[in-house]
Amino acid sequence: MHKLPPNPDELGRLDLDDILGTIDHEVRQRFGEGEVADYIPSLAEVPKDRFGMALAMLDGTVHAVGDAREGFSIQSISKLYTLTMALEAAGDALWTRVDREPSGDPFNSLIQLELERGIPRNPFMNAGALVTTDVLLSHHADAEVALLAFIRARSGNPRISINMEVVASEQETGFRNVALANFIRSYGNLHNDVQAVLDFYYRQCALHMDCVDLARSVQFLADGGRCPSSGEQVTTSEGATRINSVMMTAGTYDAAGDFAFYVGLPAKSGVGGGIVAVVPRVMGLCVWSPTLDGKGNSLLGRYALHRFTRMTGLSVF
Ligand code: DON
């Protein structure tokens, strides 16, 4: 049944644990659909029969189900953190180096880069994230330390770390990323050493987190840029609105139209099977199931988000 968005009273009466239980039950009937990402060998080893979902409400309450506390490789979800930090570092000048239009092409596509002279379409494609990574390397004395501090503070979990096995796996097989980085460099849109940019990029993708960490880490985007875990104003409310809008149009690559159609929330996915999403003024949330659809988004994760917005009415539309 399709529901209209709830008013605040109705929101308080939603039985979120019951809704999560229903979704968990439905998703588990569908285990086996989709394929794990095998172009990064260490991701191909992750068990397929996993599903977790966590809702981090702005009052601090967390609702979680299934494998919500099992860690996984966040992959491109990290592009959300690097965009936020690069916007703080470079301000609006960032948009002269990376655009904010949907791509309609796969996340690791090279084709637009030549036509658009080394300016990536958006910060959520691999090419765009290589540019935000470059901005962070220029801005911070130790960009990795800054990124880890950012993520630990956003999620309230000081133990979050990088899985070095995944880094090694990406270093061995990241031929497209090597090509993208060199191509962008040829247009003068990377300022640091290409190998240093790639190394830091792989380390972000290999951050290991669980659904609860990730749901908490995007709460600031639901709360006008303020992080409830640390009390810090991470970005302005205008900044949060803008990041959410780029997530809506480009956070799930060439499936962003389908996501708006079926889910209706700003969302960012990764090939590790995680998807974070934001319900403005209400919660940050995360789903994880490792098997992907043809466009690199978690197949059952997307189904779970679709069921969630239909059962609660919590789509932005
Ligand atoms: O660079 C890559 O291809 C991966 N480390 C990240 C890709 C990714 O997660 C795209 N997501 N859907």
Side-chain angles (χ1 to χ4, degrees):
M1 189 185 66
H2 183 260
K3 295 177 76 157
L4 288 172
N7 63 37
D9 283 348
E10 288 164 344
L11 187 59
R13 286 199 294 274
L14 284 175
D15 188 339
L16 294 171
D17 292 310
D18 189 56
I19 288 168
L20 288 184
T22 303
I23 294 172
D24 184 61
H25 178 76
E26 288 180 14
V27 166
R28 282 168 196 274
Q29 313 294 310
R30 296 185 57 180
F31 275 166
E33 294 182 37
E35 295 298 330
V36 289
D38 58 4
Y39 78 102
I40 301 172
S42 70
L43 295 186
E45 291 158 18
V46 174
K48 294 183 176 182
D49 54 346
R50 293 289 186 278
F51 172 71
M53 185 161 180
L55 317 177
M57 315 302 287
L58 294 189
D59 67 4
T61 320
V62 172
H63 302 268
V65 77
D67 305 306
R69 293 259 58 164
E70 187 167 327
F72 59 91
S73 189
I74 75 166
Q75 291 295 316
S76 285
I77 296 173
S78 60
K79 294 176 171 65
L80 186 53
Y81 308 127
T82 45
L83 169 62
T84 305
M85 291 177 68
L87 265 177
E88 287 308 293
D92 272 350
L94 181 72
W95 301 117
T96 62
R97 293 184 58 189
V98 58
D99 209 344
R100 47 180 185 256
E101 292 297 338
S103 71
D105 276 323
F107 61 83
N108 52 8
S109 168
L110 279 142
I111 200 158
Q112 283 167 349
L113 262 186
E114 177 151 39
L115 296 172
E116 293 167 10
R117 305 196 61 75
I119 306 293
R121 265 295 168 92
N122 65 64
F124 293 146
M125 305 181 79
N126 291 10
L130 290 166
V131 172
T132 57
T133 298
D134 185 65
V135 169
L136 297 188
L137 283 173
S138 298
H139 187 77
H140 294 278
D142 191 331
E144 183 177 322
V145 167
L147 178 68
L148 275 170
F150 181 91
I151 288 171
R152 289 171 178 162
R154 291 304 70 78
S155 59
N157 181 354
R159 292 178 308 283
I160 289 168
S161 60
I162 294 167
N163 181 332
M164 293 310 293
E165 203 187 307
V166 176
V167 175
S169 196
E170 293 215 52
Q171 271 161 344
E172 275 163 32
T173 57
F175 305 110
R176 287 189 81 89
N177 289 321
V178 173
L180 285 166
N182 280 293
F183 207 45
I184 300 169
R185 179 73 184 79
S186 77
Y187 286 102
N189 197 16
L190 287 188
H191 302 163
N192 293 275
D193 174 64
V194 167
Q195 195 53 52
V197 174
L198 285 166
D199 284 344
F200 184 34
Y201 170 80
Y202 294 139
R203 294 166 91 89
Q204 300 152 24
C205 293
L207 280 157
H208 204 74
M209 294 171 71
D210 66 30
C211 289
V212 174
D213 293 334
L214 281 158
R216 285 193 175 124
S217 78
V218 294
Q219 282 176 306
F220 75 97
L221 292 170
D223 201 14
R226 188 186 157 276
C227 169
S229 305
S230 65
E232 208 180 312
Q233 191 73 36
V234 179
T235 181
T236 59
S237 65
E238 174 74 13
T241 302
R242 287 177 161 187
I243 294 165
N244 284 336
S245 60
V246 183
M247 279 211 283
M248 181 62 97
T249 53
T252 49
Y253 313 104
D254 44 336
D258 245 13
F259 252 81
F261 193 87
Y262 285 110
V263 176
L265 293 176
K268 181 75 207 82
S269 62
V271 291
I275 309 174
V276 293
V278 174
V279 184
R281 287 171 293 283
V282 182
M283 69 176 89
L285 62 156
C286 179
V287 290
W288 171 58
S289 189
T291 55
L292 308 179
D293 62 21
K295 295 190 171 172
N297 297 306
S298 171
L299 190 149
L300 297 177
R302 187 187 84 158
Y303 173 74
L305 287 173
H306 166 70
R307 293 289 290 136
F308 178 76
T309 53
R310 290 309 179 267
M311 281 193 265
T312 58
L314 286 171
S315 135
V316 297
F317 303 113

